């Protein structure tokens, strides 16, 4: 898929802007605080209806205004699709082909985008919550079923945790309702767990090949889904449900005592192994960065495999964080494959040599100017 046109109206520091993009590499150059990351954020929001930088949608609206609009045209294999997200004090509205979507979940998947920012290099050594968020964000774009099940699980988890606290403090005494909540939570949790196992196995296939190339065939990468069940590639949703529900039943008193749900996909993690050693605990910073780069680049092929379309790739000032070898592998991997948006304060000589006919935009104070070749 290709984002051919983007229009911003009172989004962040952009007053009113329409820009047409290259189907290849689009480079956004400018000093800090000029609007480079805001541009990438707008594309990300158009894809996922929410920002990666803030949970408060009001932050996206120009501080002098009451509403903001992001719209764009996506070229897919089956034709052009106009998309639109509007933010007001009352909330946000999403449109596909000029038709408002009743639920945001119906919108997600129309435009797929993978964001790679410097903080993503901490995917390996960061917290388990970071990796769970990574799975939910990326897999939801690939599967509307995963998006739905993960959303239902989060809703039920909040309800069950609230009820566990009420039981703990004797505000409630009815354990029958807890059993009902446990049953429902186990059902959606099982769907999420089995889907994660499936996606991670496919992601490993692409990431392992990339990691071998970057490490000059010296290292072999494996991805393991670290969860509390005995999950294998052959585990069915029904089997996962039975196992998870039994954990809730067997540990009911313990969870009431703690006032929280201690089993389920909200406690899971990804384990990265390089040459069979846990790279999170024993890997060098170079190995950790190579692993993160391999996994992020592998998402491109996984998304194509799962959806039939390549996603957009958003690179937010990543080149400055990578050495020459990793820069080279990154830019070679995306060449002539995926539409890319790259922000930087300056395009290094190595990057210029590797990028084939980029369109370069200079950004200053929320205005764009295409560089004349």
């Amino acid at each position: 898929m290709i984002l051919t046109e983007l229009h911003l109206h009172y989004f962040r520091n952009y007053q009113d802007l329409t820009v047409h993009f290259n189907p290849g590499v689009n480079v956004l150059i400018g000093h800090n605080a000029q609007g480079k990351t805001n541009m990438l954020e707008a594309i990300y929001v158009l894809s996922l209806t929410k920002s990666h930088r803030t949970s408060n949608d009001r932050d996206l609206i120009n501080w002098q205004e009451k509403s903001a609009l992001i719209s764009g045209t996506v070229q897919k294999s089956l034709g052009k699709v106009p998309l639109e997200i509007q933010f007001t004090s009352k909330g946000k509205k999403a449109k596909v082909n000029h038709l408002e979507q009743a639920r945001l979940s119906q919108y997600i998947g129309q435009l797929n985008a993978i964001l790679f920012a410097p903080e993503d290099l901490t995917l390996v050594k960061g917290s388990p919550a970071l990796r769970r968020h990574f799975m939910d964000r990326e897999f939801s774009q690939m599967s509307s079923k995963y998006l739905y099940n993960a959303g239902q699980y989060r809703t039920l988890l909040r309800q069950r945790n609230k009820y566990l606290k009420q039981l703990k403090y004797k505000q409630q005494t009815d354990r029958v309702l807890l059993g009902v909540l446990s049953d429902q939570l186990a059902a959606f949790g099982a769907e999420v767990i089995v889907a994660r196992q499936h996606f991670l196995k496919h992601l490993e296939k692409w990431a392992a090949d990339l990691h071998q190339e970057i490490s000059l065939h010296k290292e072999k990468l494996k991805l393991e889904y670290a969860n509390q069940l005995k999950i294998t590639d052959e585990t069915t949703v029904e089997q996962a449900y039975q196992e998870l529900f039994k954990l809730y039943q067997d540990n009911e008193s313990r969870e009431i005592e703690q006032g929280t749900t201690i089993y389920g996909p909200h406690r899971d993690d990804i384990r990265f192994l390089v040459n069979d050693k846990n790279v999170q605990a024993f890997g060098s910073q170079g190995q950790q960065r190579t692993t993160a780069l391999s996994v992020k680049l592998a998402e491109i092929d996984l998304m194509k495999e799962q959806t039939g379309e390549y996603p957009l790739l958003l690179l937010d000032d990543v080149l400055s964080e990578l050495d020459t070898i990793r820069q080279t592998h990154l830019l070679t991997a995306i060449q002539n494959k995926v539409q890319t948006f790259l922000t930087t304060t300056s395009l290094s000589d190595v990057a210029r040599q590797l990028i084939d006919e980029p369109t370069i935009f200079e950004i200053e104070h929320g205005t764009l100017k295409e560089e004349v070749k």
Side-chain angles (χ1 to χ4, degrees):
M1 57 181 66
I2 304 295
L3 181 63
T4 59
E5 178 182 296
L6 181 70
H7 176 69
L8 305 179
H9 188 67
Y10 296 138
F11 177 83
R12 293 284 193 182
N13 67 329
Y14 290 98
Q15 297 292 311
D16 194 73
L17 175 75
T18 299
V19 56
H20 296 84
F21 292 120
N22 177 355
V25 178
N26 298 270
V27 181
L28 309 172
I29 292 184
H31 297 297
N32 292 328
Q34 300 302 304
K36 301 189 305 298
T37 297
N38 290 349
M39 177 65 70
L40 254 59
E41 180 184 32
I43 298 172
Y44 187 88
V45 172
L46 191 64
S47 168
L48 285 163
T49 76
K50 58 185 178 182
S51 169
H52 63 288
R53 300 163 72 195
T54 177
S55 58
N56 185 358
D57 290 340
R58 183 65 187 85
D59 295 340
L60 307 179
I61 304 172
N62 188 288
W63 67 277
Q64 295 175 313
E65 306 299 331
K66 295 181 179 180
S67 65
L69 179 75
I70 308 172
S71 62
T73 302
V74 181
Q75 180 67 54
K76 295 186 175 183
S77 56
L78 297 178
K80 292 183 178 180
V81 181
L83 301 176
E84 181 181 304
I85 305 281
Q86 184 177 29
F87 297 92
T88 67
S89 58
K90 297 180 180 179
K92 53 192 168 188
K93 296 178 181 178
K95 293 182 180 180
V96 179
N97 277 323
H98 310 293
L99 298 174
E100 185 176 338
Q101 303 301 292
R103 293 188 298 274
L104 293 176
S105 59
Q106 294 175 322
Y107 175 95
I108 294 172
Q110 296 295 328
L111 172 63
N112 292 330
I114 294 170
L115 174 71
F116 193 8
E119 54 265 30
D120 287 304
L121 290 167
T122 65
L123 176 67
V124 174
K125 64 180 181 180
S127 68
L130 187 70
R131 290 182 286 277
R132 287 192 293 269
H133 179 65
F134 162 77
M135 287 190 283
D136 286 345
R137 181 186 63 218
E138 309 306 346
F139 300 161
S140 289
Q141 292 189 75
M142 301 177 204
S143 167
S144 57
K145 182 180 179 182
Y146 184 94
L147 175 66
Y148 173 76
N149 287 328
Q152 292 295 110
Y153 181 84
R154 285 191 293 271
T155 299
L156 282 163
L157 180 63
R158 286 192 295 270
Q159 293 174 357
R160 189 173 188 269
N161 282 343
K162 181 180 179 181
Y163 198 71
L164 283 168
K165 284 185 174 64
Q166 289 174 338
L167 288 170
K168 176 181 180 179
Y169 295 111
K170 306 295 190 289
Q171 296 167 339
Q172 296 284 352
T173 57
D174 183 10
R175 290 199 180 192
V176 175
L177 177 56
L178 179 62
V180 172
L181 290 171
S182 299
D183 178 63
Q184 294 175 336
L185 191 66
F188 285 108
E191 293 278 2
V192 170
I193 289 168
V194 172
R196 283 180 178 176
Q197 173 73 14
H198 166 81
F199 282 125
L200 284 173
K201 183 56 63 177
H202 284 261
L203 184 65
E204 179 190 59
K205 176 183 68 175
W206 296 106
D209 289 344
L210 285 161
H211 193 97
Q212 274 205 318
E213 288 179 27
I214 299 173
S215 67
L216 303 177
H217 297 272
K218 295 177 182 177
E219 297 176 354
K220 186 174 182 181
L221 174 66
K222 293 180 183 177
L223 271 60
E224 290 184 353
Y225 180 29
N227 63 83
Q228 298 156 315
L229 309 185
K230 299 181 181 67
I231 293 293
T232 68
D233 294 340
E234 286 72 41
T235 301
T236 65
V237 172
E238 176 61 25
Q239 288 170 332
Y241 158 74
Q242 294 291 347
E243 193 174 340
L244 186 55
F245 186 47
K246 189 172 189 306
L247 279 174
Y248 291 145
Q249 289 178 314
D250 292 348
N251 294 276
E252 191 174 87
S253 296
R254 183 183 172 199
E255 289 191 319
I256 291 172
E257 184 181 329
Q258 296 191 20
T260 191
T261 303
I262 57 180
Y263 297 98
H266 65 290
R267 293 292 183 100
D268 294 347
D269 199 357
I270 307 172
R271 191 177 295 118
F272 301 98
L273 304 176
V274 171
N275 294 341
D276 294 322
K277 291 185 178 180
N278 188 328
V279 72
Q280 287 139 302
F282 305 108
S284 66
Q285 185 183 49
Q287 286 177 318
Q288 291 173 347
R289 286 191 162 212
T290 297
T291 299
L293 178 59
S294 301
V295 170
K296 293 299 291 188
L297 290 176
E299 286 185 71
I300 297 171
D301 292 300
L302 177 62
M303 207 166 280
K304 172 68 163 62
E305 178 184 81
Q306 297 293 324
T307 69
E309 300 264 10
Y310 278 115
L312 275 56
L313 180 62
L314 313 178
L315 302 174
D316 191 11
D317 201 26
V318 170
L319 293 184
S320 63
E321 298 291 325
L322 300 173
D323 58 26
T324 301
I325 293 174
R326 292 181 181 86
Q327 269 194 38
T328 300
H329 279 282
L330 167 60
L331 296 174
T332 302
I334 65 176
Q335 198 68 266
N336 302 317
K337 178 188 281 189
V338 55
Q339 187 183 27
T340 302
F341 299 85
L342 185 160
T343 68
T344 183
T345 52
S346 64
L347 202 54
S348 66
D349 290 338
V350 63
R352 281 186 181 273
Q353 291 170 12
L354 288 167
I355 300 175
D356 184 25
E357 297 185 2
T359 297
I360 299 176
F361 297 94
E362 295 176 4
I363 297 185
E364 186 175 1
H365 299 304
T367 61
L368 252 70
K369 183 176 70 175
E370 186 174 341
E371 185 179 282
V372 178
K373 296 179 182 179

